[in-house]
């Protein structure tokens, strides 16, 4: 294929012309204005066995939960309200009895929690591996959605929740898979981290609050780790940033595990991904009413730097960080 993931998406984007007023490829959701002063948000993401999850490890309930969660999270990233979802599944012939029922139970539990009904989809057989695609519709007031392109020099860089828990959970799952040790005996710390990986919680209410707060300029959900995701905000906004790695919000469970294993928590927090927290920028002094941590500041891009891509200044570390990339 020859192209990286983001280069390929950029090339696909160039092949199509999008009508004035519609925001197409490049943000967490497409945004389409409606006549009644509202905007419709649409997002879609695919989960493939062996790439996004390991069929032999994840239980079907968690897979159903996670398939919905990672998609709902893109509506949170725009500060939107949820309207409904569409679910398409390609089921391999050897799928075990009861799989689909448990999968739908997990999908329904998170959908009910956010009052977001399933409205349609498609079901087909697959030759080899399970493949799941979810599309979510959302809405927001005209001009209210939070884009990646709004960051301005002087903005604070902020995140909700804690970072790196999901990546640590995945590391534990992979480790157990290689040494054949099952998870039921895992200590509480490890169970919490594995849970953060399997059952992420989209920050829908937080996104809505941010969209209603004047001074919040840019936002996205964190799916690949901020080492990669912050670059999307910087590129879309034509700015750069400094981030103090010492100020990253880390859970007690992550600190504890990393101390015991000799893992670098900053690396998991910045490059691991799948946190599904919100990354946003706001003017200093903005009355942000949701729990969050300030991790850095937006800076003006140096003259003539547009083609090289943003160089983030990582303070408190001698490493450079990028996020997860599919290829
Ligand atoms: P996210 O992690 O927020 O879901 P992605 O990295 O998957 O974002 O995608 C980034 C942007 O590229 C989104 O606007 C998405 O709709 C678009 N995109 C990704 N793959 C394709 C594709 N094959 N065709 C058209 N648009 C795509
Ligand atoms: Mg996203």
């Amino acid at each position: 294929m020859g192209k990286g993931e983001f280069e390929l998406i950029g090339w696909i984007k160039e092949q199509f012309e999008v009508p004035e007023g519609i925001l197409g490829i490049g943000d967490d959701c497409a945004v389409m204005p409606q006549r009644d002063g509202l905007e419709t948000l649409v997002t879609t993401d695919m989960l493939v066995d062996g790439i996004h999850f390991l069929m032999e490890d994840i239980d079907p309930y968690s897979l159903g939960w996670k398939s919905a969660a990672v998609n709902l999270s893109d509506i949170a990233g725009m500060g939107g309200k949820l309207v409904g979802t569409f679910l398409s599944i390609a089921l391999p012939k050897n799928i075990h009895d009861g799989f689909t029922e448990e999968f739908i139970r997990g999908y329904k539990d998170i959908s009910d929690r956010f009052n977001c009904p399933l409205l349609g989809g498609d079901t087909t057989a697959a030759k080899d591996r399970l493949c799941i695609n979810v599309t979510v519709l959302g809405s927001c007031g005209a001009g209210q959605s939070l884009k990646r392109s709004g960051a301005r020099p002087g903005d604070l860089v902020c995140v909700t929740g804690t970072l790196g828990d999901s990546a640590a959970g995945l590391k534990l799952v992979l480790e157990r898979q290689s040494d054949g040790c099952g998870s039921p005996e895992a200590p509480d710390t490890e169970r919490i981290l594995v849970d953060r990986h399997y059952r992420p919680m989209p920050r829908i209410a937080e996104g809505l609050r941010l969209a209603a707060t004047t001074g919040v300029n840019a936002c996205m959900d964190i799916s690949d780790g901020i080492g990669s995701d912050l670059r999307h905000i910087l590129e879309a906004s034509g700015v750069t940033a400094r981030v103090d790695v010492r100020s990253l919000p880390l859970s007690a469970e992550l600190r504890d595990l990393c101390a015991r294993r000799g893992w670098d928590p900053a690396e998991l927090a910045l490059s691991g991904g799948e946190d599904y927290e919100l990354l946003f920028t706001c003017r200093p002094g903005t009355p942000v009413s949701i729990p969050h941590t300030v991790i850095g500041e937006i800076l003006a891009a140096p003259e003539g730097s547009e083609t090289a891509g943003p160089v983030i200044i990582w303070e408190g570390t001698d490493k450079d960080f990028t996020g997860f990339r599919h290829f």
Side-chain angles (χ1 to χ4, degrees):
M1 173 171 302
K3 291 185 169 82
E5 179 185 353
F6 299 123
E7 204 191 331
L8 178 63
I9 295 171
W11 177 82
I12 294 174
K13 181 178 174 174
E14 281 169 20
Q15 311 308 305
F16 295 85
E17 227 172 275
V18 175
E20 181 86 23
I22 292 180
L23 177 67
I25 296 172
D27 220 306
D28 287 329
C29 296
V31 184
M32 282 154 292
Q34 304 301 323
R35 291 208 187 97
D36 54 4
L38 290 178
E39 285 177 342
T40 297
L41 307 174
V42 185
T43 178
T44 188
D45 257 317
M46 190 144 65
L47 291 92
V48 180
D49 177 19
I51 305 283
H52 301 94
F53 61 91
L54 302 165
M55 197 60 179
E56 58 275 26
D57 262 307
I58 193 165
D59 61 288
Y61 178 96
S62 294
L63 185 58
W65 175 288
K66 187 166 180 173
S67 301
V70 304
N71 277 280
L72 302 184
S73 177
D74 276 319
I75 300 285
M78 306 295 288
K81 238 176 82 178
L82 294 167
V83 173
T85 67
F86 291 76
L87 166 65
S88 299
I89 24 182
L91 291 164
K93 299 248 158 46
N94 63 354
I95 204 104
H96 65 79
D97 274 358
F99 174 91
T100 315
E101 288 77 3
E102 270 301 285
F103 176 90
I104 292 295
R105 208 167 63 76
Y107 191 98
K108 179 172 159 51
D109 276 357
I110 185 167
S111 300
D112 286 354
R113 186 184 280 245
F114 289 102
N115 233 333
C116 183
L118 177 63
L119 301 175
D122 195 20
T123 306
T124 168
K127 225 169 180 160
D128 183 18
R129 284 168 178 265
L130 178 67
C131 184
I132 301 151
N133 176 248
V134 176
T135 300
V136 191
L137 300 185
S139 77
C140 65
Q144 299 285 296
S145 60
L146 295 169
K147 319 282 193 313
R148 297 178 180 182
S149 55
R152 300 285 168 265
D155 279 5
L156 303 176
V157 179
C158 310
V159 291
T160 60
T162 56
L163 304 178
D165 297 339
S166 171
L170 174 62
K171 229 164 135 68
L172 288 169
V173 168
L174 295 175
E175 201 179 75
R176 278 179 208 149
Q177 197 186 39
S178 62
D179 67 15
C181 163
S183 60
E185 295 78 31
D188 277 353
T189 297
E190 300 191 5
R191 209 180 338 259
I192 288 167
L193 295 170
V194 171
D195 240 47
R196 287 270 284 161
H197 180 67
Y198 281 153
R199 312 234 181 125
M201 191 61 83
R203 302 303 180 196
I204 297 292
E206 292 81 351
L208 283 166
R209 294 277 276 280
L210 291 176
T213 306
T214 307
V216 176
N217 285 339
C219 186
M220 69 181 292
D221 73 322
I222 306 172
S223 52
D224 293 343
I226 62 171
S228 166
D229 289 334
L230 178 57
R231 281 174 220 273
H232 293 314
I233 287 187
L234 303 182
E235 273 166 18
S237 304
V239 292
T240 185
R242 64 165 188 85
V243 170
D244 189 341
V245 171
R246 293 160 297 198
S247 64
L248 294 172
L250 306 174
S251 68
E253 290 80 15
L254 183 70
R255 285 177 195 277
D256 172 45
L257 182 74
C258 287
R260 284 193 280 120
R261 301 290 179 96
W263 295 349
D264 179 2
E267 181 132 18
L268 292 169
L270 291 168
S271 306
E274 299 211 282
D275 298 299
Y276 300 105
E277 295 293 345
L278 298 179
L279 168 66
F280 63 97
T281 82
C282 64
R283 299 312 297 162
T286 301
V288 177
S289 60
I290 56 164
H292 67 287
T293 306
V294 177
I295 60 166
E297 185 192 4
I298 296 292
L299 309 171
E303 292 278 316
S305 64
E306 292 99 62
T307 49
V311 177
I312 302 173
I313 301 165
W314 301 106
E315 293 175 342
T317 178
D318 49 14
K319 291 188 194 166
D320 191 15
F321 295 95
T322 55
F324 179 81
R325 285 175 188 235
H326 288 105
F327 50 87

